[in-house]
Amino acid sequence: MKVHSACLAAICLLGTLPVVTAQQEATPPAGNYSADRPVDFLHMKLEYRFTAKEIAERVAEGRVTFTLTPIANPVRSLRLDAVDMRILDTEVNGETVTFSYDDKSLEIPFAAPVEPGRNVEVTVHFRVERPDRGLHFILPNANDPQKQTIVYTMGEGMDARHWLPAHDWPNERWTSDLLITVPKGFSAVSVGKLVGSTPAGDEVTWHWKSDQPTDPHMLGFAVGRYVKLEDTWRGRPVLAFVPAGKEAAGRYTFRRVNQILDFYSSLTGVDYPYDSFAHAAVTDHHHRGMEHAGFSMIDPAMFSTGPNDDGLEPLEPGWPGYTIETNLVAHMLAHSWFGGIASYRNASQGWLNEGFGTYLHMAWAGHADNEAVFLSLMRGAAQSLSFSDSSETGRPMVWRQFNQPMEVFQYDGGKIYWKGAWIVHMLRSQLGDKIFWGAVKNYLNDHRWGSVETADLRRALEKESGRDLERFFDQWVYGKGIPRLKAAYRWDPVKKSATLTLQQTQRIAADSPAFHLPIELYFRVAGKDEWRNVQLDRATQDYSFAFDAAPEAFAIDANGKLLSTLAVETPRAMLEWLATSGPTPLAQIRAAEALGNQPAGSSIAALSNLLLSPKALWPVRQVAATALGRLQMPEAAQALLDAEKSGIADPRVLSAVLGALSTYPFSVPAHQALLRYATANPVDKLQAMAARQLGRMKASPELQKASLTLLVNTAKSSPRPMVRVAAIQSLEQADAISAYDTLSDLATKPGDPNIRSRAITALGALGRDEKLRERTFIALSGWLDDPDYAVRPSAARALGRLGDPRAVGQLTTAASSPRTVLEKEALEGALRSLRTAPDPRALPAGLVDRLASMEKENVQLKERLADVTKRLGALESKKETPAK
């Protein structure tokens, strides 16, 4: 599935970590396994009919016919997953038959056992009424009477059973014909290739046909009032269904679909597998987007209109190159291979889809821009994993102990995306491109239109490479945590030897042994680059290298081939050289970041030179700006101000400069610069970055007053959605109680649910003021049942932020009533935050490892101190012993 929006804030992206309670630890759920397949589903004909009246009432009727055959033994009945439906009638080979149904599963008996090799047709006529999940209706409402009417489905997380009686498990596939009848003026988009649309009176039937077998999680459709945009890729239709008025934005947002298809086809060695591809705009999609077989859904709020506008892309990513194109369009397209051609056989194997999907979209970002973008995204993923994946509290990549299938996409901070991508990258790095992609090609072709598990990928890689990868998969897939490396360097001028000590500081025990790691080392000696490869397979290891002269610099894993944290004791002179002249962009980035922790004039000069260098890649220059902010020195602030005035052409670099200037909140020139950019700028992201940071600036009462006035006006009326959102966030950051009424008006005013949601979220923080608490509590409680369901999750989260224990009752009542998936998640999260006392076991996993590392270092220091004390004592004894 697409990268969760909940995961977007930490990577540059990832969101809040799941909270583990003592009760959850004490009573883990049973393992999750796929259901048996007594029959092979060959084909599905699904007919759905939506009238205008039924759409308004959130109901629909469907009729599905499966052609199937027993696999091994005669079968006497067919069981289908079907949740909370009205089953109207069932047929077997055209004859009406009785059935039994318990609101979860439907059983249809056969008159006589059906033997293997014999086909049978089973038809179910059903009705779906106001479903909680699976089939979603987006409708105009009192707060947004102009909202686009949309109906869309969700299959991921085994939600297909809520709108389709089927074997709703990922271990089965079938070809399909979908015939969706809608009112005139509406279109229906679905899997496969569009056969045609047939009008009949006031209705139109859209027929989509897929000759490629599809499992339930990749099935789906979307219904809405659309304009169809048309293109082709290698003779195959490439379509986009967008709302009227969004044609230009749709063309821009999807402008590089063909290039992405080319890139993935070339990289994997396997062509795009479907007969066509389509995008469907789905307003208020609860995941912002979702992949399906041959088409993807995407919320039009995320559309981009040009290079200066990324729709509602959040500002959180540290690398603005990580755009909607990468995170949504490219990621979902990658699932045509990993999810389409071959997909996990059980949700516990989800990393096979999401790891490859995430890796491919990062690879596309690097291909479309530059190498540093890819390395930076991988580094961001590693940084997020350092907080969420611990050898003590983390869980393996293949993990079954979840209550709901969707949990597999969320546990350990979205591990299956980020660690999955790193596993793919490390395998590629260790095996080499030719062997790795050759094995991936075989993996896809050998399992085409089938379900897979981790062992299938390992076998393909071992067959192609001749390598035994058991240890690799044991430590990275079935193990937990990541290596946390500490390195110390020293040069012996007498022996002309460089010694590097590498230490694994994470918890090492029987259940989490030391990692076995291939590590690439770089040395700069006498103006030449020297590369060495070593193996680290224990807690601490020393490596010595003979050189004719002292190295001018050294770097560890400069090409970013290893998932780990890395703390290196590097002389500042070396860091300054690496920052400006390092062998790779990653080496430059790491050195620049390290210089941000070494306050010195020479550090400022090196970082300033790097920031202003037109030869340096923009992600490297961004880190230089951020490091100058972290130095917190007047000279560093001046370097940033000089850079801002220098006419930096790349807005991504300039955005980082503005962010770094905000770390000097009492600097008048910095405050003035942010105020100027927040007032007006042709680039949305620059204006939004300045507006978002403006709330923290406190250079003078006059500037604060001017900033508050600007933010209030911007939040009220800016025509740029991203800038309005930034202003709202900034008002919250400024703790601007005087802006409370403005935010309250924005939260109440009918209109854009994205603006309302942001304002509601901000009120949850500002409402903690005692004078505003009661008013806020009443308003937030009311918004739990807002006519626009898209804002209800924000009301729940805001109540959690408010911290008022009285909200437990309202949240509990709401959680026990029919709600959307997104509402349920928000309600449960708010309840956890109000009920759960701080628990040391719920600390971020990376912090646990760091504490363990500090404890280990403390023990070692004590041992060294004891040794030194003992030796000093021995020396004193010698002094006191009379000579004989």
Side-chain angles (χ1 to χ4, degrees):
M1 70 189 289
K2 77 99 187 175
V3 183
H4 270 250
S5 55
C7 297
L8 293 183
I11 185 175
C12 303
L13 265 156
L14 288 171
T16 55
L17 304 181
V19 177
V20 180
T21 66
Q23 182 180 5
Q24 287 172 322
E25 289 181 340
T27 55
N32 290 268
Y33 301 89
S34 289
D36 289 339
R37 299 172 52 241
V39 301
D40 185 9
F41 289 80
L42 306 175
H43 187 75
M44 175 191 79
K45 179 182 179 182
L46 174 62
E47 300 166 276
Y48 245 102
R49 183 172 180 268
F50 296 93
T51 67
K53 181 176 183 294
E54 288 173 326
I55 290 174
E57 295 173 349
R58 300 178 59 241
V59 301
E61 279 195 20
R63 186 180 185 88
V64 62
T65 298
F66 285 107
T67 303
L68 52 94
T69 185
I71 292 176
N73 299 305
V75 295
R76 296 178 177 275
S77 64
L78 176 67
R79 180 195 169 281
L80 299 174
D81 301 294
V83 177
D84 295 335
M85 298 180 183
R86 283 182 58 196
I87 306 300
L88 303 178
D89 61 65
T90 57
E91 300 174 9
V92 175
N93 291 331
E95 298 291 329
T96 301
V97 298
T98 59
F99 60 86
S100 61
Y101 179 57
D102 63 2
D103 293 331
K104 288 185 173 58
S105 63
L106 169 67
E107 185 149 3
I108 304 167
F110 298 143
V114 180
E115 299 290 334
R118 178 185 163 198
N119 289 359
V120 61
E121 286 191 352
V122 176
T123 300
V124 181
H125 185 196
F126 59 95
R127 184 174 175 85
V128 180
E129 299 177 342
R130 292 170 289 281
D132 294 340
R133 56 196 305 158
L135 184 63
H136 301 268
F137 293 80
I138 308 301
L139 304 173
N141 58 74
N143 279 327
D144 193 356
Q146 302 304 314
K147 186 186 287 287
Q148 186 186 19
T149 297
I150 293 286
V151 181
Y152 74 95
T153 61
M154 180 75 173
E156 187 76 271
M158 297 195 293
D159 270 3
R161 63 189 65 198
H162 293 268
W163 57 273
L164 172 66
H167 177 90
D168 187 20
W169 299 86
N171 62 352
E172 181 61 298
R173 292 172 176 243
W174 50 80
T175 57
S176 61
D177 282 276
L178 283 89
L179 295 98
I180 305 167
T181 301
V182 296
K184 264 190 177 179
F186 283 80
S187 304
V189 189
S190 190
V191 299
K193 187 175 182 179
L194 178 61
V195 176
S197 57
T198 306
D202 293 333
E203 298 179 324
V204 181
T205 298
W206 293 73
H207 181 189
W208 294 80
K209 182 178 182 64
S210 177
D211 293 327
Q212 292 77 33
T214 303
D215 75 79
H217 103 269
M218 292 285 278
L219 285 172
F221 60 81
V223 171
R225 295 182 184 274
Y226 294 130
V227 176
K228 182 170 67 171
L229 309 179
E230 299 186 70
D231 196 357
T232 60
W233 178 79
R234 300 184 186 179
R236 303 181 220 180
V238 175
L239 311 174
F241 291 79
V242 303
K246 289 278 190 177
E247 295 92 336
R251 288 190 182 93
Y252 186 84
T253 301
F254 306 129
R255 71 196 183 283
R256 295 202 285 195
V257 165
N258 287 6
Q259 295 177 46
I260 299 171
L261 292 173
D262 281 334
F263 178 67
Y264 289 168
S265 296
S266 173
L267 193 65
T268 63
V270 179
D271 273 354
Y272 172 73
Y274 295 106
D275 294 330
S276 69
F277 182 78
H279 275 107
V282 173
T283 300
D284 291 349
H285 193 291
H286 62 290
H287 287 307
R288 292 297 195 192
M290 183 57 60
E291 69 277 353
H292 297 80
F295 91 104
S296 293
M297 301 178 189
I298 182 171
D299 190 331
M302 311 303 284
F303 281 10
S304 175
T305 60
N308 295 330
D309 165 40
D310 285 311
L312 276 180
E313 180 194 356
L315 288 172
E316 285 84 352
W319 317 106
Y322 202 83
T323 61
I324 294 309
E325 177 182 272
T326 300
N327 183 43
L328 283 175
V329 176
H331 182 90
M332 293 188 292
L333 271 171
H335 283 305
S336 299
W337 285 260
F338 302 96
I341 295 176
S343 186
Y344 56 77
R345 64 176 296 169
N346 181 277
S348 66
Q349 305 283 335
W351 82 271
L352 292 169
N353 287 16
E354 300 304 342
F356 271 102
T358 303
Y359 187 71
L360 259 63
H361 87 233
M362 290 178 173
W364 163 254
H367 172 79
D369 200 328
N370 61 63
E371 176 194 13
V373 174
F374 170 74
L375 292 172
S376 297
L377 291 172
M378 293 300 295
R379 178 171 172 268
Q383 288 174 328
S384 68
L385 286 165
S386 74
F387 288 97
S388 61
D389 192 14
S390 162
S391 58
E392 287 198 11
T393 63
R395 285 159 283 187
M397 289 289 289
V398 176
W399 181 65
R400 298 183 184 274
Q401 304 303 313
F402 45 84
N403 293 301
Q404 298 291 335
M406 290 303 292
E407 290 178 31
V408 78
F409 302 102
Q410 300 162 348
Y411 80 97
D412 285 359
K415 171 187 286 186
I416 67 170
Y417 296 91
W418 317 120
K419 192 171 185 178
W422 261 105
I423 289 171
V424 172
H425 183 58
M426 288 188 291
L427 285 165
R428 178 184 181 183
S429 299
Q430 292 184 28
L431 300 179
D433 275 11
K434 182 179 179 181
I435 291 174
F436 175 77
W437 290 116
V440 169
K441 178 180 178 180
N442 293 337
Y443 164 78
L444 290 170
N445 286 331
D446 290 348
H447 300 283
R448 183 174 285 264
W449 312 128
S451 53
V452 289
E453 56 188 9
T454 301
D456 296 316
L457 176 63
R458 179 185 156 194
R459 276 191 290 268
L461 293 164
E462 290 183 336
K463 182 178 179 181
E464 188 76 9
S465 67
R467 292 270 302 274
D468 186 316
L469 297 172
E470 183 175 10
R471 174 182 287 158
F472 180 95
F473 279 83
D474 275 353
Q475 67 183 13
W476 291 110
V477 178
Y478 302 109
K480 55 187 180 179
I482 64 174
R484 300 175 188 272
L485 304 182
K486 183 177 180 180
Y489 166 86
R490 60 186 180 276
W491 168 254
D492 187 329
V494 177
K495 296 181 179 179
K496 290 193 173 183
S497 173
T499 299
L500 192 67
T501 300
L502 291 177
Q503 182 181 10
Q504 298 191 46
T505 64
Q506 77 278 3
R507 184 182 75 97
I508 295 175
D511 65 332
S512 57
F515 282 84
H516 285 239
L517 306 171
I519 298 178
E520 186 179 63
L521 305 176
Y522 165 82
F523 297 91
R524 178 78 170 177
V525 182
K528 294 182 179 179
D529 295 338
E530 301 276 354
W531 295 87
R532 300 286 189 272
N533 291 290
V534 299
Q535 290 285 330
L536 175 64
D537 57 10
R538 62 197 70 176
T540 303
Q541 219 159 334
D542 289 330
Y543 307 89
S544 294
F545 307 93
F547 294 115
D548 292 336
E552 299 144 27
F554 79 95
I556 300 170
D557 189 35
N559 287 296
K561 297 179 179 180
L562 179 67
L563 170 58
S564 71
T565 65
L566 181 61
V568 188
E569 298 173 11
T570 308
R572 187 169 65 246
M574 285 190 177
L575 290 176
E576 290 167 2
W577 184 88
L578 286 167
T580 55
S581 308
T584 67
L586 182 59
Q588 291 181 283
I589 285 171
R590 285 175 173 164
E593 188 172 62
L595 285 175
N597 298 319
Q598 298 200 16
S602 57
S603 296
I604 294 172
L607 290 170
S608 182
N609 290 336
L610 183 59
L611 173 58
L612 295 173
S613 170
K615 294 181 180 179
L617 297 174
W618 66 262
V620 180
R621 297 173 70 188
Q622 279 194 331
V623 174
T626 303
L628 284 167
R630 202 164 54 249
L631 281 173
Q632 287 299 291
M633 297 172 65
E635 298 85 353
Q638 188 59 51
L640 288 167
L641 291 166
D642 292 342
E644 184 273 321
K645 295 174 184 174
S646 69
I648 293 173
D650 193 323
R652 297 167 295 191
V653 179
L654 188 51
S655 174
V657 171
L658 297 179
L661 281 172
S662 73
T663 64
Y664 295 91
F666 301 102
S667 164
V668 170
H671 197 153
Q672 290 171 332
L674 289 171
L675 184 58
R676 186 172 68 253
Y677 279 89
T679 301
N681 194 275
V683 180
D684 282 24
K685 277 204 163 182
L686 289 178
Q687 187 178 4
M689 171 60 83
R692 186 180 178 193
Q693 303 302 333
L694 197 57
R696 67 190 297 180
M697 304 305 287
K698 307 178 189 307
S700 73
E702 294 78 16
L703 284 171
Q704 282 184 280
K705 183 178 179 181
S707 298
L708 181 58
T709 300
L710 174 66
L711 290 172
V712 167
N713 291 334
T714 302
K716 285 180 178 179
S717 58
S718 173
R720 295 172 163 181
M722 181 190 295
V723 178
R724 289 188 75 189
V725 166
I728 292 170
Q729 293 172 321
S730 196
L731 287 171
E732 175 191 334
Q733 185 174 243
D735 195 25
I737 303 301
S738 57
Y740 185 93
D741 288 340
T742 296
L743 293 172
S744 181
D745 288 344
L746 289 173
T748 306
K749 184 179 178 181
D752 187 343
N754 294 298
I755 298 300
R756 291 190 64 214
S757 294
R758 296 286 187 168
I760 288 170
T761 301
L763 290 176
L766 296 183
R768 295 184 193 125
D769 184 273
E770 284 304 320
K771 296 177 182 178
L772 300 170
R773 181 180 290 271
E774 186 65 20
R775 175 183 171 187
T776 306
F777 174 74
I778 294 171
L780 295 178
S781 298
W783 285 322
L784 287 176
D785 294 304
D786 192 88
D788 192 344
Y789 89 91
V791 305
R792 294 178 197 165
S794 295
R797 286 189 287 268
L799 279 170
R801 300 182 80 191
L802 186 65
D804 193 321
R806 293 177 298 169
V808 170
Q810 280 90 337
L811 293 167
T812 302
T813 300
S816 62
S817 65
R819 298 278 170 163
T820 66
V821 178
L822 209 59
E823 287 178 83
K824 290 275 190 184
E825 291 176 356
L827 289 163
E828 291 164 3
L831 282 168
R832 281 198 301 271
S833 67
L834 290 171
R835 288 172 170 167
T836 308
D839 185 339
R841 289 170 295 183
L843 288 171
L847 184 55
V848 174
D849 263 349
R850 280 199 284 275
L851 289 172
S853 172
M854 290 170 64
E855 184 178 355
K856 183 187 292 185
E857 290 177 9
N858 190 39
V859 170
Q860 292 171 345
L861 286 171
K862 286 182 178 179
E863 291 174 349
R864 290 178 187 174
L865 182 60
D867 181 58
V868 169
T869 302
K870 182 178 179 182
R871 289 158 68 182
L872 284 172
L875 287 173
E876 290 297 326
S877 297
K878 281 186 178 181
K879 288 180 182 178
E880 293 173 2
T881 303
K884 292 184 180 179

